[in-house]
Amino acid sequence: MNTLPDGDNGPPSLSRTFSPEEVNMDLTMCGLLPDRAEEIARLYREHGNWNQVKEIWFEERRANRSTKGSSQKIYRVLSSRFKNAPATLPNPSELPAVLDICSSSRDKAQVLYLYLVADDALVRYAVHEYARRLAEDFPEPLDFSNETLTSILNQFEYTDETPFDYADSTTERWCEGLRSVMREIGVLENQQTVVGDPPSLGDTPLLVAMGYSSEEGDEEWFESPTGLQYLFQPSARWEELYNRVAETEAWESFVFS
């Protein structure tokens, strides 16, 4: 796998070219929603069939008088993250057990965030750009303002060479959606904050991120740990995080089971 074009130890590089089918604005209608995502994962563990999960989900929504349209959108987006999850992340049927050992709601959000990044090309593209900037000798602040996010989105184009082109109002909603995700995983402090810091990682999201890094990368994955970079961990922290994992008895069984 290639590192970034400038040679920095960033995540595997992304082309700034996407087919229209790869790009969506799902984040405008459905953020991370950890509680609902966990509910869907638990239903899947119990029933093992996505059609049955969908049926039960909508029955419960109707009982709670949720609108059908809203429920359909949320289910479609959240279930997509699990259905399309790479083998480098815990299987959706195993995910509830992973969430059960998380020590906080933030830990759960950090685990579920990796499924979002893996599934959503536009989110992944933006996260790669922040990871690239964080890998520089003089890293820029983690600025998630509309201005900065829009400038990042404007850097890629579709395969037919047409540029990113959504209505300003849609783009603004997408930016707010990404900021909501950043608040969930501990990058942004509150709703008024747009500039954040690398979050601290609990043991469970650290193990998931390290497993993802080792399985996604080649033999030298520890020189460019994708999962840690997706969680905005600067290289100065990597040795400390590697040592934490090495001291965790669960590492081998957790990652390679």
Side-chain angles (χ1 to χ4, degrees), residues 33-238:
L33 299 182
D35 290 344
R36 297 185 187 183
E38 182 176 359
E39 180 183 352
I40 289 175
R42 291 190 184 282
L43 286 172
Y44 183 71
R45 180 183 63 177
E46 181 178 353
H47 300 284
N49 181 289
W50 285 114
N51 289 331
Q52 197 168 359
V53 170
K54 183 178 180 180
E55 182 178 336
I56 295 170
W57 168 269
F58 286 123
E59 285 295 335
E60 292 178 350
R61 301 284 83 70
R62 279 195 288 270
N64 293 328
R65 299 182 182 276
S66 299
T67 63
K68 182 178 180 180
S70 175
S71 296
Q72 288 177 330
K73 290 176 182 177
I74 290 172
Y75 178 81
R76 177 183 65 78
V77 176
L78 293 181
S79 63
S80 172
R81 296 172 190 172
F82 296 139
K83 293 175 183 177
N84 298 322
T88 47
L89 289 173
N91 186 279
S93 63
E94 301 168 352
L95 181 57
V98 174
L99 297 176
D100 283 342
I101 60 175
C102 287
S103 60
S104 67
S105 58
R106 177 175 294 181
D107 283 8
K108 291 183 179 183
Q110 289 174 349
V111 171
L112 292 167
Y113 161 79
L114 293 172
Y115 290 82
L116 164 65
V117 177
D119 183 53
D120 191 313
L122 198 57
V123 171
R124 188 167 63 255
Y125 172 82
V127 169
H128 268 245
E129 179 59 21
Y130 281 97
R132 184 190 68 78
R133 296 180 180 192
L134 201 61
E136 294 174 352
D137 291 336
F138 301 97
E140 299 178 29
L142 292 173
D143 181 351
F144 291 92
S145 64
N146 284 4
E147 181 180 10
T148 299
L149 284 168
T150 300
S151 70
I152 289 172
L153 295 176
N154 286 336
Q155 290 178 50
F156 80 86
E157 61 184 20
Y158 294 106
T159 48
D160 60 4
E161 299 185 354
T162 56
F164 176 84
D165 185 24
Y166 283 93
D168 290 345
S169 59
T170 302
T171 302
E172 288 175 5
R173 290 199 307 275
W174 189 91
C175 293
E176 177 51 44
L178 189 64
R179 282 193 294 271
S180 75
V181 172
M182 294 302 113
R183 289 192 292 270
E184 294 277 10
I185 68 172
V187 174
L188 297 179
E189 184 175 351
N190 54 52
Q191 197 159 359
Q192 287 70 46
T193 306
V194 296
V195 179
D197 297 296
S200 59
L201 301 183
D203 286 345
T204 302
L206 173 58
L207 285 167
V208 174
M210 289 288 282
Y212 181 80
S213 299
S214 65
E215 295 296 325
E216 281 285 315
D218 54 23
E219 293 181 358
E220 304 299 322
W221 65 268
F222 49 85
E223 295 182 1
S224 183
T226 306
L228 296 185
Q229 292 172 93
Y230 281 0
L231 282 161
F232 308 103
Q233 299 302 300
S235 57
R237 286 188 182 177
W238 295 352

